[in-house]
Amino acid sequence: MVKQRLLFIFSLILSVGCFAQTEEADTVVYRRTLTPSIYLDYGKLLTIPTNFETKYEGGIEILFMEKFPLIIEAGQATLSPEGAYSNGTYESEGFYYRIGAGYVSQFLPKNKIGISFRYASSTFSENGRIFIESPSDAQDDFVQSIEREDLTATWYELVVYSDRKLSDVFSIGLNLRLRVLASYDEQNVPDVYAIPGYGRSFEDTVPAANFFLKVSF
């Protein structure tokens, strides 16, 4: 896990280094004052057939002077990680949103790269069942139900992203995220296991990546 995080951070630094690239001197650049876009995280749709999670996520971006984006994202997720508890079942479900701002640079004629910081919050519920059976019947079986509502969590994200223009309207892109947990509603044993939009609560930092399709107006 440590190696994966170091590799992820290195990828962020390498991507940010691309900002040193400048546009060709003989290129005439026309900048729009404001460019609104909406986008869909189509990579999340690929998780629907899996047992681990189901996610739907999209966002709105308002790009000022083709340099400074204001970003609002929202999503819904149901997490059902296998093995969360060795003897039991578990599911976490809820809604989350992110809001942030950043900087974008033209990397190639059809490619942009950017960096942003985002604040995120999630409201979710948990349900599950933990059970331990006594094979010899010498002791009573242990059964504990998990039913929790209106739990909350917050975190911050450093995001490096790039997109490629397919046409004047459509683009595809990639987000590389490093999530840093700020707070969550801690519980008595068992504690919260998974936070929709973030991941496992016992990990203070979580790397993530997602693909998106963007429509610009």
Side-chain angles (χ1 to χ4, degrees):
M1 180 61 68
V2 174
K3 291 183 178 180
Q4 292 177 349
R5 292 177 183 174
L6 290 175
L7 179 61
F8 188 84
I9 294 172
F10 176 76
S11 299
L12 290 178
I13 296 173
L14 182 63
S15 299
V16 172
C18 294
F19 282 112
Q21 299 289 335
T22 58
E23 297 169 352
E24 297 180 4
D26 59 350
T27 300
V28 177
V29 179
Y30 168 73
R31 300 193 187 282
R32 295 180 60 183
T33 303
L34 187 149
T35 306
S37 302
I38 59 174
Y39 57 91
L40 170 69
D41 183 350
Y42 68 86
K44 294 292 187 292
L45 300 179
L46 301 179
T47 66
I48 292 177
T50 70
N51 294 326
F52 176 74
E53 64 181 0
T54 301
K55 287 188 177 181
Y56 303 93
E57 183 177 313
I60 299 173
E61 178 188 270
I62 301 176
L63 186 61
F64 298 93
M65 300 301 297
E66 299 190 19
K67 287 288 185 180
F68 307 102
L70 174 65
I71 302 161
I72 301 174
E73 299 173 310
Q76 186 275 338
T78 301
L79 308 182
S80 304
E82 295 183 1
Y85 299 106
S86 58
N87 297 288
T89 61
Y90 176 83
E91 184 174 273
S92 175
E93 182 178 11
F95 297 89
Y96 57 92
Y97 73 88
R98 310 183 191 99
I99 183 170
Y103 177 80
V104 175
S105 177
Q106 192 74 37
F107 178 44
L108 293 172
K110 292 186 177 181
N111 293 73
K112 290 183 179 180
I113 187 168
I115 185 170
S116 70
F117 296 92
R118 306 179 192 181
Y119 168 83
S121 178
S122 179
T123 301
F124 60 101
S125 63
E126 289 185 307
N127 65 80
R129 184 170 177 265
I130 299 174
F131 51 89
I132 301 176
E133 296 180 350
S134 175
S136 64
D137 293 327
Q139 296 179 344
D140 294 335
D141 295 339
F142 172 81
V143 179
Q144 181 176 350
S145 297
I146 303 172
E147 294 183 3
R148 299 166 180 160
E149 302 286 341
D150 299 323
L151 300 176
T152 61
T154 60
W155 65 93
Y156 299 94
E157 294 189 1
L158 171 64
V159 183
V160 170
Y161 60 99
S162 63
D163 62 53
R164 178 176 177 79
K165 183 179 291 188
L166 301 178
S167 67
D168 291 339
V169 176
F170 296 102
S171 302
I172 57 173
L174 168 68
N175 284 322
L176 296 176
R177 304 176 185 268
L178 184 62
R179 300 168 178 162
V180 180
L181 185 62
S183 65
Y184 72 96
D185 291 339
E186 297 186 36
Q187 304 294 308
N188 294 327
V189 178
D191 197 1
V192 171
Y193 186 88
I195 301 170
Y198 177 81
R200 295 170 179 171
S201 62
F202 51 84
E203 296 182 340
D204 292 334
T205 59
V206 176
N210 59 287
F211 298 91
F212 61 86
L213 172 67
K214 180 188 292 184
V215 181
S216 300
F217 302 95

